[in-house]
Structures are given as C-alpha cells and as structure tokens.
Amino acid sequence: MQRYKVKGKKFKIRNVKGLIYALVGVFACLLLTCNFSLAATAEAKHYTELQLPPLPEIKLPKYERFVLQNGLVVYLMEDHELPLVNGTAFVRTGNRLEPQQKVGLAGFTGAVMRTGGTKKHSPDELNEILEQRAASVETSIGEASGGASFDALSEDLETVFGLFAEVVRSPVFAQEKLDLAKTQAKGGIARRNDNPDSIASREFKKLIYGKDSPYARTIEYATVDQIEREDLIKFYQQYFHPNNMILGIVGDFDSKKMRSLIQANFGDWNRNPGIAKPKLPSVSPANTGGVFFVNQPQLTQSSVFIGHLGGRFDNPDYPALDVLNGVLNGFGGRLFNEVRSRQGLAYSVYGEWSPRYDYPGMFIAGGQTRSDATVQFVKALQNEIKRIQTQRVTAKELAFAKESTLNSFVFNFQDPGQTLSRLMRYEYYGYPADFLFRYQKAVAATTAADVQRVAREYLKPEKIVTLVVGNQTAIQPPLTQLAAKVTPIDVTIPGSQPKVKN
C-alpha cells in the first residue's frame, strides 16, 4: 500500500493499477465522444439541404362490411396489436331534430340511456361489472348524430358486448338519473357566461344561423323544465332501431366469432319498416353584415369573431378552400405574419373555411386582442381577407400550404379505430368511401389560380358579420369606427335570479 500526503492529509490508494485503468478508460470515452461530435458536426446540413423520401402511399387496413337482416350495418376490422376491442354505433338522430320548446331533450336521452341502467341491470350493477373489468360503455347524442360505444379487454368481450347491447336496446331511463342530469344542465346554464370565448362562439352562431335555428339555439332553464321522462322514451323509440344504425368494431377478435356475437345480441331486434331519413332543418343566413357587441366590463381584452355562412365538405372546391386555409393560418401563414408578428395585435389569430357534412358551415376568422387594439385588429383581419382575393399567393406560400396539408394526411390513419370511424362517418352522411383520397389528390393538384378563384368566389367581405365580446369603455377607438350602427347583444340568462348587491 502506498501513502501520499496532500496539504497535511493522508490518502490511501489501495490499487494503483486499477486507478490507472480507470483513468485510461475515461480518457478513451472522452476521445471517442469528441470524435463522434466532430463527425456529426462535419456531416450536419442546413434543413433546406435535407433530402427526404416521398411520403409512402397510405392503404386502408383490411375490413369487412355486412348488413344483418334487420338492416343493421356492421363494419369489422381486426387489429391484434393489443388485447383490446372497442366498438362504436352511429344512430341517425341528433339534437337538431328535437322540438324547439324542449332544447336539451336529445342530450338528456343520450346521457340517461347509460346512467339510467337497463331492464336487466341497475345503474350500480352496470357500473360495478364494467369497473371490475376496466371496461366502459358510453352513450351520447350530439348535434347531427347519436352514438354508443364500448371498450373492453379481449377476454371480456362477450360480457361487455352483452352489456353494450343492453344499453342500446333496453334502457329504462331512471327518473332519478334524469333529475340529476337536469340539475347538472342548469348548473351549466348558470356558468355559461363565465368564459368570453364561449360567449363569442355561442352568440356568433346565432348571428349566422339565427337564434331559433337548430344549429344555434341554446338550452335554457325553461326548456329543461319542459322535459319529462316520457319525452326521453319517445325520442329514443323514434330513432333507435337497427335499420337506423351503423355499428363498427375494431380490435383483437376473430371476425367469424364476432359475427356470431353480433347476431346473438342484435339479430332478433326488429327493424322499423316505417322509419325514414329525417328531414334536415333548412339553413339561410340570419345576417349579411353588421357589427355586434357583448359588453363584459371585467375584461382586459376582446374576443373577436368575424365571418359569414359557409359550405359543405362535398363541394368540389373544398380542397382548394382548404389550401386557402393553409395560406392564411399557422406559423408562416399570412395572418400570423401580418397580424401577429408585424402588427403585434394578437397572440393567436386565425381565419378558416369550416364546412360541415350535410349543412353549410361557416367562414370564420378571429382571435383575442387588447381592448385598445380591437378596431385595428378587426380592420387587419378584413384587409387580409381582401388581400387574398386580390394578391395571388406566391409559389412559396402555395407549396407551404399544400405540403402542410399533404404531410399531415397520415394523421387521418394513426390507428385502425380512427380509420374505421371515418369509413362509418362517410356512409352515415352518404359520402364515397374513398372521399379522403379524392380530397388528397385534389389538394395536390391545386394551383395558385385555384386559390385566388375560390377566395374571390366564396369569401364575401361585404357580407361579413362582426362580433366583439369585450369591455366597452376600454375599447378605444370605439367600434363605431367599424360601422355607424353597433348592435348590443344582451346575454342575460333567461329565468336567472339577479345578483343581490351587498
């Protein structure tokens, strides 16, 4: 053993040879790392010099489609990557079909179908069986469709699918669960003016479609009070039939056995021979211009929406309009570059042609801005809308917009469940199964002239409706610089009790 003295302290080195080997090893690692770093630096290229391979062709996974004798359409797609199975049913219904005096009925029907239990299982029994298996069964009804879904481990498929069928076929709509849902809905009504963006979104739809339109009307205390358990049962019985549904199942199962399971649970469900495709509400613009304002004195910034009635996905010009969206939006888009970066008027800004499947959507632009910049922000949005009509997009802008769209195309097929849901949705709305691929080809073929043409044809600056939610006294210059007449909107909740001042 050797002893060394440093500043009066003794240190013992029991294995000098081991220390030397360790130091040599550390030095070798450092040298190797340095060499790799130098090599990486020498090979590094600017991103513009990178050569990337073309995107691979996307192919649909194998799937089956068949129809039971009672009219139930079924899609099956096997996926054995994980021991999981999930399914979704689309039902031709929606809250746009509920009576105006009972807004909220469809939502309650969709919720209490699940929470209210079935003829064989109480709500608690249903919850307990599912929780023990880490499974779920859910139901809901939205604007344009109803839905039911389940998730289960492969080993629990038979049990969970049986419960799913029970919920879909034999819900009891327990009164106490409806009472709870109504109480929760009233709580939501009471809080609906807490968020300025929610106010803007809700009121803007009313300005575009009309306050009584099924696409804009809102649930109120009065409509909730009108809804009884019998209304839920009647609404359910009107739309929930096998020949009014599309069922899709994806996951770890054998298709032959799955067919038998579906037949056993749904095959004896009688079709409704009298059911017809529901007549959809008509749509026309409620306003073709004007400036509207919701005063919220507590705010330090304004939420701004501008726009007008739009169109549908099946419009042949939709791909070019979507490229136009790419020119306007995102990092590097015109709105970002001009309104956010150059003028500094907003942190987030957007402008989008937003279609729907079977009724006209909207063209909508907006964002949030400082109160004292509100008028300038609105004018900047208007100018960019006009500019895209008059100033042809550059080759760089076009390439950026198209590549962003086409490169993100793969995210439509992230997993088999997403793909199957899209196929079902296309059938639900009467679109061709290859609609997305047709859209992809049309985007690739879009030219700068196409973008300018659709901008001129579909964007209507002279018909733009403007809505501002903000602090009236802080908005300087005032909104009258946008229009001589500014129409106030009262968002007081009907039937609510005024707050008592202390």
Side-chain angles (χ1 to χ4, degrees):
M1 181 188 302
Q2 301 181 41
R3 298 175 183 267
Y4 299 90
K5 193 172 183 180
V6 180
K7 293 184 179 180
K9 294 185 179 180
K10 293 180 180 180
F11 293 87
K12 297 179 181 179
I13 299 179
R14 299 182 182 277
N15 190 344
V16 176
K17 187 181 292 186
L19 177 62
I20 293 173
Y21 285 151
L23 290 172
V24 170
V26 170
F27 179 75
C29 289
L30 289 172
L31 185 62
L32 192 61
T33 303
C34 182
N35 287 338
F36 274 132
S37 298
L38 290 172
T41 302
E43 294 178 4
K45 295 181 179 180
H46 192 268
Y47 76 93
T48 57
E49 299 176 332
L50 296 176
Q51 297 295 322
L52 301 177
L55 293 173
E57 181 182 356
I58 296 175
K59 295 182 179 179
L60 292 178
K62 182 180 178 182
Y63 68 92
E64 295 182 46
R65 180 193 178 279
F66 59 93
V67 183
L68 299 187
Q69 288 186 347
N70 58 13
L72 177 65
V73 177
V74 180
Y75 283 81
L76 297 181
M77 184 179 287
E78 293 187 31
D79 176 24
H80 302 285
E81 185 174 356
L82 294 171
L84 302 172
V85 181
N86 62 74
T88 302
F90 287 167
V91 184
R92 296 188 187 282
T93 182
N95 61 36
R96 59 185 176 181
L97 304 177
E98 64 194 1
Q100 184 172 348
Q101 69 273 20
K102 295 185 179 183
V103 174
L105 170 59
F108 290 144
T109 304
V112 184
M113 268 186 71
R114 166 64 180 86
T115 62
T118 69
K119 292 179 180 179
K120 292 182 180 180
H121 294 93
S122 70
D124 289 342
E125 290 172 341
L126 194 61
N127 291 337
E128 184 177 357
I129 296 172
L130 292 170
E131 288 171 2
Q132 288 174 346
R133 291 162 176 77
S136 69
V137 173
E138 303 295 339
T139 59
S140 64
I141 298 178
E143 179 184 79
S145 68
S149 64
F150 73 88
D151 287 279
L153 292 169
S154 306
E155 62 188 42
D156 299 321
L157 175 59
E158 188 170 342
T159 299
V160 176
F161 189 73
L163 295 175
F164 168 76
E166 278 185 40
V167 170
V168 172
R169 294 186 57 179
S170 58
V172 297
F173 298 103
Q175 181 66 53
E176 65 271 19
K177 297 301 181 181
L178 172 59
D179 293 340
L180 176 60
K182 291 171 72 171
T183 299
Q184 292 171 333
K186 289 183 177 181
I189 294 171
R191 296 187 301 272
R192 74 183 183 195
N193 288 336
D194 292 352
N195 187 312
D197 290 339
S198 297
I199 296 173
S201 177
R202 181 184 73 235
E203 298 303 322
F204 191 73
K205 286 182 180 179
K206 293 180 183 180
L207 293 174
I208 299 300
Y209 295 107
K211 62 182 180 64
D212 294 327
S213 167
Y215 299 111
R217 62 194 180 191
T218 53
I219 187 171
E220 303 288 357
Y221 292 123
T223 66
V224 171
D225 290 337
Q226 290 289 321
I227 298 169
E228 304 293 341
R229 176 175 176 270
E230 290 71 23
D231 297 314
L232 274 65
I233 295 172
K234 183 178 178 181
F235 193 88
Y236 166 82
Q237 292 175 342
Q238 185 174 358
Y239 298 107
F240 281 75
H241 302 281
N243 55 322
N244 201 39
M245 290 175 55
I246 302 173
L247 172 64
I249 302 175
V250 61
D252 183 31
F253 58 81
D254 176 78
S255 291
K256 185 176 180 181
K257 293 180 180 179
M258 193 71 240
R259 278 176 173 259
S260 299
L261 191 60
I262 294 170
Q263 183 63 40
N265 284 276
F266 287 98
D268 63 343
W269 193 12
N270 294 330
R271 67 185 296 133
N272 180 356
I275 200 165
K277 192 173 181 179
K279 184 179 179 181
L280 300 183
S282 60
V283 175
S284 59
N287 292 280
T288 54
V291 176
F292 300 83
F293 179 67
V294 177
N295 187 28
Q296 296 286 283
Q298 76 279 11
L299 298 181
T300 58
Q301 66 176 14
S302 298
S303 292
V304 176
F305 279 19
I306 73 171
H308 54 69
L309 194 65
R312 297 174 21 156
F313 282 110
D314 56 1
N315 185 325
D317 284 327
Y318 165 61
L321 286 161
D322 208 28
V323 175
L324 180 147
N325 285 344
V327 173
L328 288 175
N329 293 288
F331 291 97
R334 287 190 177 185
L335 290 174
F336 185 93
N337 288 345
E338 178 64 21
V339 181
R340 181 188 187 275
S341 298
R342 197 185 74 80
Q343 298 188 42
L345 295 175
Y347 182 75
S348 64
V349 60
Y350 61 90
E352 183 178 13
W353 182 265
S354 181
R356 294 292 181 267
Y357 281 102
D358 59 1
Y359 73 94
M362 295 184 288
F363 170 70
I364 183 169
Q368 293 78 39
T369 188
R370 306 185 316 274
S371 296
D372 62 356
T374 303
V375 170
Q376 187 180 356
F377 179 67
V378 172
K379 289 182 177 180
L381 290 174
Q382 294 172 341
N383 289 338
E384 289 306 306
I385 293 170
K386 293 175 182 177
R387 185 163 75 93
I388 203 166
Q389 294 181 311
T390 57
Q391 182 181 321
R392 179 174 290 198
V393 299
T394 65
K396 183 179 179 180
E397 286 179 313
L398 181 67
F400 173 81
K402 290 172 63 173
E403 287 174 8
S404 297
T405 301
L406 295 173
N407 290 344
S408 65
F409 188 75
V410 66
F411 295 111
N412 292 292
F413 304 91
Q414 294 182 86
D415 59 71
Q418 186 184 32
T419 303
L420 187 63
S421 178
R422 186 176 293 278
L423 289 170
M424 294 168 60
R425 193 177 304 114
Y426 287 157
E427 176 159 351
Y428 183 91
Y429 289 108
Y431 281 58
D434 65 343
F435 174 78
L436 195 61
F437 293 98
R438 297 185 189 185
Y439 157 81
Q440 182 189 32
K441 292 179 180 178
V443 167
T446 298
T447 66
D450 292 329
V451 174
Q452 189 173 43
R453 175 182 61 80
V454 296
R456 289 174 173 174
E457 183 175 347
Y458 294 96
L459 304 187
K460 307 292 184 183
E462 72 282 1
K463 294 183 179 180
I464 277 182
V465 175
T466 301
L467 172 65
V468 176
V469 178
N471 184 341
Q472 185 173 18
T473 58
I475 297 177
Q476 296 296 334
L479 296 179
T480 49
Q481 286 206 359
L482 298 174
K485 179 183 178 182
V486 176
T487 305
I489 296 177
D490 183 5
V491 294
T492 302
I493 301 169
S496 62
Q497 297 296 320
K499 294 183 180 180
V500 179
K501 295 182 179 180
N502 294 326

